[in-house]
Amino acid sequence: MSFEKLDQLGRRLEALEHALSILGADEATHMAVGGGEKRAEAMANLAGMYHAQSTAPEIAEWIEAAQPHTEDQQLALAEFRRQYLNATCLPTEFVERKTAATMRSEQLWRELRAVGDWDSYLPALEGVVELVREEARLRADALKLAPYDALMEQYDPGNRTATLNPVFADLKTFLKEFVPEALEVQERRHQRRPRRDLNGPYPIEHQRELGLAAMRAVGFDFTHGSLAVSHHPFCGGVPTDVRMTTRYRTDDFLSSLMGVLHETGHALYEQGLPKEWSHWPLGKARGMGIHESQSLFVEMQLARSPEFWHFMLPLVQLHLGRNALPGWDIEDVLSEVNHVERGYIRVDADEVTYPLHVILRYELEQDLVAGKLEVSQIPEAWDAKMTEYLGISTINDPKDGPMQDVHWPGGAFGYFPSYTLGAMIAAQQWAALEKAQPNLRDSVRKGDFTGINAWRAEQIWSQGSRWSTPDLITRATGEPLNPAYFKAHLRRRYGD
């Protein structure tokens, strides 16, 4: 009976999750400007309802009394116990307060980021950071973890700064040396074969059709998902109704296309999760590191390869016109999509410089949560790290500096490390897949992604949250996480 009660609870919580996810996706894409206040109120109340139901005292009794009969039920019960502990860290009143504050903060951020008005946005972000510090203390006390570790536990169970700090420090050292090397190699290549200019403008409606074609080709199921436009690209919604977004530039179709492919990687994971356990924690994605590995697998490992563009270039010309890239061949496209540049914007960064953007945020987050850094000091601290790591300054450009991401306005601290973990996991998955499918590159050249998706479905998607992140990596690739694969990948693609 206790297990049946947990099963029924899972279905009720899934319904609330569904409502919150769809309302959140709509708020970022289609909601009228004047709907913000009532939308924040509605979502705060739904979040409060969800939290109250998921933290009810009787659930602890149900968990202890449950008698699972199958391995899936045993694993589901263990995951439910872990999530219940995380959920009961926070009082319902706090959840409602934080949800309302971050919703309003995000709405204000969209308005003020457009004009780079840091000073007007500062009080709202200060309020969010105070709430994040409060949350970190609450979670740390309950989970017996350091405050920032307790925040990371929400996004990637098992992540600890004691493990990540040396890994990221090593990667930072490697990249600070490798970025100049990659730029030098690139310059020599451009001397032999000059980089071509993109021949815009590219009408948005044509770019949209190209993005839809790319999504369809790599396996997106349009009976369970859609594509829209938002300030910040994301993949949201629910597995049966995935809401993907992108943003367009009429002078550069590649920016949107690569963003679409990135978010499609997230969407494929969601659409491939085990449907029979969708209402249980067991059926959810196994943390954001794995989630990012799926998106970066598609965008970086797959979609920036010569084999992919052998298939993709004709699609570009079909949807954008035969004169879209006059005189271009695959080498010209690769020179563009794999272009390395010291840039300001994380979501537009190449895979060589991208981890430095993440490490910068990871380091600042730790100091913000610990109270070593105040919100008012962010622009200067951000600029100092950008100058050291990438050799560019953001001190007079908050729009493309500390205001560029939605994560902090939304209170999502502890999330950023997952991006770079995902890049390392993706490189390791690609290496394992090539061993399992020796003709992998030939399949990609033909636009046949069925074997790739079948492997990922079996090894990653269908597993849901059956295993911890380290165990899932080992089961899928045959060894624990090994950053050497990511470094080797970068050297092969961008080195001599």
Side-chain angles (χ1 to χ4, degrees):
M1 180 60 71
S2 295
F3 199 87
E4 291 177 6
K5 288 180 179 178
L6 288 171
D7 190 75
Q8 293 166 5
L9 173 66
R11 295 185 188 280
R12 292 196 301 273
L13 294 178
E14 182 185 33
L16 288 170
E17 287 176 353
H18 189 128
L20 280 164
S21 295
I22 298 302
L23 283 172
D26 177 80
E27 188 269 342
T29 54
H30 295 98
M31 186 191 75
V33 174
E37 183 176 350
K38 280 297 181 181
R39 180 60 57 88
E41 181 181 331
M43 292 187 69
N45 276 281
L46 284 172
M49 291 169 60
Y50 179 91
H51 189 72
Q53 291 197 37
S54 65
T55 59
E58 59 268 25
I59 295 175
E61 300 172 6
W62 298 345
I63 291 173
E64 293 307 315
Q67 297 181 349
H69 301 295
T70 67
E71 181 186 24
D72 278 345
Q73 289 180 349
Q74 291 173 351
L75 293 169
L77 188 62
E79 187 64 12
F80 207 116
R81 181 179 287 109
R82 187 189 69 80
Q83 290 210 353
Y84 181 72
L85 179 58
N86 275 273
T88 52
C89 294
L90 308 179
T92 298
E93 173 275 332
F94 175 84
V95 173
E96 292 176 345
R97 184 157 44 93
K98 185 189 175 190
T99 302
T102 54
M103 284 288 296
R104 295 186 179 103
S105 170
E106 281 192 46
Q107 292 161 11
L108 186 63
W109 166 77
R110 291 192 185 98
E111 174 188 342
L112 297 178
R113 191 218 166 202
V115 294
D117 190 348
W118 170 263
D119 291 338
S120 296
Y121 182 61
L122 177 60
L125 187 57
E126 286 177 330
V128 170
V129 169
E130 280 305 310
L131 285 167
V132 168
R133 289 170 176 168
E134 183 180 351
E135 177 180 355
R137 290 192 295 269
L138 290 166
R139 291 188 180 279
D141 289 344
L143 302 177
K144 310 304 179 189
L145 295 173
Y148 190 75
D149 287 347
L151 293 176
M152 288 197 298
E153 182 72 10
Q154 304 169 79
Y155 303 108
D156 262 314
N159 270 6
R160 301 291 181 264
T161 53
T163 302
L164 294 188
N165 285 350
V167 170
F168 282 0
D170 175 69
L171 184 58
K172 180 171 67 175
T173 299
F174 166 77
L175 289 172
K176 287 167 67 176
E177 296 175 356
F178 185 70
V179 168
E181 177 185 332
L183 288 168
E184 183 179 337
V185 170
Q186 178 175 265
E187 178 61 25
R188 292 201 298 269
R189 290 173 178 170
H190 286 171
Q191 289 174 355
R192 295 192 300 268
R193 188 187 188 98
R195 184 183 178 193
R196 291 176 177 268
D197 291 328
L198 285 168
N199 187 35
Y202 302 101
I204 288 175
E205 58 270 23
H206 294 175
Q207 290 191 56
R208 173 176 166 78
E209 290 303 315
L210 175 62
L212 294 173
M215 293 165 64
R216 188 175 296 108
V218 298
F220 185 86
D221 179 2
F222 282 97
T223 65
H224 292 101
S226 59
L227 177 68
V229 176
S230 66
H231 290 272
H232 187 99
F234 68 85
C235 177
V238 294
T240 54
D241 186 8
V242 175
R243 302 298 179 91
M244 261 182 55
T245 72
T246 188
R247 58 187 176 192
Y248 297 103
R249 290 173 47 184
T250 56
D251 64 330
D252 177 7
F253 76 90
L254 285 170
S255 174
S256 172
L257 178 61
M258 302 311 287
V260 164
L261 287 163
H262 176 96
E263 300 303 338
T264 300
H266 283 304
L268 292 175
Y269 188 14
E270 288 293 316
Q271 291 181 339
L273 290 170
K275 295 176 177 58
E276 65 272 22
W277 287 107
S278 66
H279 61 294
W280 272 85
L282 188 71
K284 311 302 182 187
R286 172 73 295 168
M288 293 315 303
I290 295 295
H291 229 309
E292 287 302 321
S293 77
Q294 299 311 289
S295 61
L296 294 174
F297 181 96
V298 173
E299 182 197 357
M300 299 299 184
Q301 301 293 325
L302 182 63
R304 297 179 189 268
S305 69
E307 294 81 11
F308 180 85
W309 279 97
H310 187 274
F311 157 75
M312 193 69 201
L313 188 54
L315 276 182
V316 170
Q317 295 170 334
L318 173 65
H319 290 283
L320 299 185
R322 298 298 301 177
N323 295 322
L325 298 173
W328 285 51
D329 61 19
I330 292 173
E331 287 302 316
D332 293 315
V333 178
L334 291 174
S335 179
E336 189 68 23
V337 299
N338 292 328
H339 183 71
V340 180
E341 184 175 2
R342 292 184 172 102
Y344 296 98
I345 306 300
R346 176 185 60 85
V347 296
D348 293 335
D350 56 86
E351 62 180 330
V352 179
T353 60
Y354 189 98
L356 291 172
H357 288 269
V358 170
I359 292 169
L360 177 154
R361 289 154 173 80
Y362 171 67
E363 292 172 345
L364 291 181
E365 281 193 346
Q366 291 181 73
D367 287 345
L368 282 167
V369 171
K372 297 178 181 178
L373 180 71
E374 296 304 326
V375 176
S376 61
Q377 299 170 317
I378 289 176
E380 289 74 18
W382 185 289
D383 178 69
K385 290 182 182 294
M386 284 292 287
T387 302
E388 178 188 352
Y389 301 168
L390 290 166
I392 54 179
S393 175
T394 58
I395 194 64
N396 296 316
D397 186 14
K399 174 179 178 291
D400 291 339
M403 292 184 76
Q404 68 179 266
D405 299 297
V406 73
H407 302 65
W408 290 352
F413 283 68
Y415 189 141
F416 278 119
S418 299
Y419 289 117
T420 289
L421 286 173
M424 292 188 285
I425 298 168
Q428 187 165 326
Q429 287 177 20
W430 180 268
L433 186 52
E434 280 202 292
K435 291 179 184 177
Q437 299 181 13
N439 297 322
L440 170 65
R441 294 183 183 273
D442 289 338
S443 297
V444 174
R445 178 182 289 268
K446 297 172 185 175
D448 179 4
F449 305 99
T450 54
I452 292 174
N453 288 344
W455 186 90
R456 294 202 296 153
E458 179 181 358
Q459 302 295 337
I460 305 292
W461 306 342
S462 66
Q463 300 304 310
S465 288
R466 290 171 61 89
W467 320 109
S468 69
T469 298
D471 285 347
L472 183 57
I473 294 168
T474 301
R475 285 172 174 270
T477 68
E479 63 178 293
L481 178 65
N482 184 353
Y485 287 104
F486 181 59
K487 292 181 182 179
H489 162 71
L490 293 182
R491 288 192 182 101
R492 281 194 301 271
R493 182 171 283 177
Y494 302 98
D496 280 319

